[in-house]
Amino acid sequence: QKEVEQNSGPLSVPEGAIASLNCTYSDRGSQSFFWYRQYSGKSPELIMSIYSNGDKEDGRFTAQLNKASQYVSLLIRDSQPSDSATYLCAVKIGGTSYGKLTFGQGTILTVHP
Amino acid sequence: NAGVTQTPKFRILKIGQSMTLQCAQDMNHNYMYWYRQDPGMGLKLIYYSVGAGITDKGEVPNGYNVSRSTTEDFPLRLELAAPSQTSVYFCASSTTGRGGETQYFGPGTRLLVL
């Protein structure tokens, strides 16, 4: 079993729809979870971090965490063509104090007009 | 602040050649990381450092070496390039503690080994 696994893509949604990206992780001791966005040919950039069970909202983005189910998701409301990118889920595995992350393989999102 | 900078942007190496990928950050971050990203894949950690003089292996360290003589710089050395090292390499840095775990990435170095 992979340590961090994302739902297979690519994911295609129409403009204005909700895009749902999912991620599961294997280490029950994980405490910190991140969503990075990566445009083609560019470096990853952080869009959301979440540490506690429940929802965290930032503009059109909502991260959801369920530690009991070892599941973290990212919802993008009112999707725009500019949201088209690869979304990487990252998890801080283990009890280290520094930010050593394990990344999922990424989900390619395409938002079509 | 320039953030995290990497040089070169692109390089072609012949099998068996050596090179150093440069990485520097001006945010006074203690932690620095090297990742590689193969096409259609996530990031794999090669090496990381928790401070000047302290480095450790990540998930895929074979064929690479690092050093950290200053807080700012974290070069990655490829000694004998192999085609399997064709990839995009990203350097990242982060600070300490909760809320400081955000990793800031450099623009990447695209390496082709022929």
Side-chain angles (χ1 to χ4, degrees):
Chain A
Q1 181 187 2
K2 293 180 182 178
E3 287 186 286
V4 179
E5 196 152 3
Q6 297 184 233
N7 54 325
S8 59
L11 179 65
S12 181
V13 300
E15 184 173 357
I18 296 175
S20 178
L21 304 161
N22 303 317
C23 175
T24 57
Y25 59 95
S26 59
D27 183 353
R28 284 196 171 274
S30 300
Q31 297 293 322
S32 306
F33 308 87
F34 307 87
W35 283 100
Y36 283 82
R37 177 177 62 200
Q38 187 177 25
Y39 292 115
S40 180
K42 301 296 184 182
S43 57
E45 57 177 334
L46 182 73
I47 52 172
M48 292 286 286
S49 60
I50 187 166
Y51 305 98
S52 305
N53 276 331
D55 295 359
K56 178 182 177 182
E57 188 174 316
D58 184 1
R60 297 185 295 111
F61 298 94
T62 298
Q64 298 175 318
L65 175 60
N66 184 325
K67 290 185 179 180
S69 300
Q70 296 174 241
Y71 173 95
V72 58
S73 66
L74 180 70
L75 300 178
I76 306 174
R77 293 183 301 280
D78 188 23
S79 295
Q80 301 296 310
S82 59
D83 295 325
S84 298
T86 298
Y87 289 80
L88 299 165
C89 173
V91 179
K92 183 178 156 184
I93 301 291
T96 56
S97 61
Y98 52 88
K100 186 179 168 186
L101 301 177
T102 298
F103 285 82
Q105 77 275 25
T107 300
I108 298 173
L109 171 66
T110 301
V111 181
H112 52 88
Chain B
N1 286 352
V4 180
T5 57
Q6 291 183 241
T7 56
K9 289 183 180 180
F10 177 67
R11 182 78 180 267
I12 299 175
L13 279 183
K14 294 182 180 179
I15 294 172
Q17 286 185 322
S18 300
M19 77 164 294
T20 299
L21 283 66
Q22 300 291 345
C23 173
Q25 53 93 9
D26 62 359
M27 298 176 282
N28 201 33
H29 285 170
N30 287 333
Y31 304 143
M32 297 187 74
Y33 316 84
W34 274 107
Y35 294 93
R36 60 176 286 172
Q37 185 175 36
D38 299 327
M41 303 296 288
L43 297 154
K44 301 287 187 183
L45 182 65
I46 305 171
Y47 270 94
Y48 63 95
S49 170
V50 299
I54 307 170
T55 64
D56 205 349
K57 297 177 180 178
E59 187 180 355
V60 289
N62 292 344
Y64 307 94
N65 270 304
V66 294
S67 60
R68 183 103 181 265
S69 56
T70 67
T71 300
E72 294 78 19
D73 300 299
F74 191 39
L76 177 72
R77 178 82 177 163
L78 281 71
E79 290 295 347
L80 292 170
S84 61
Q85 294 176 306
T86 292
S87 191
V88 180
Y89 292 84
F90 289 104
C91 178
S93 71
S94 68
T95 186
T96 56
R98 185 72 169 265
E101 294 171 325
T102 301
Q103 290 193 14
Y104 298 88
F105 286 83
T109 293
R110 189 173 299 271
L111 178 65
L112 179 61
V113 182
L114 299 174

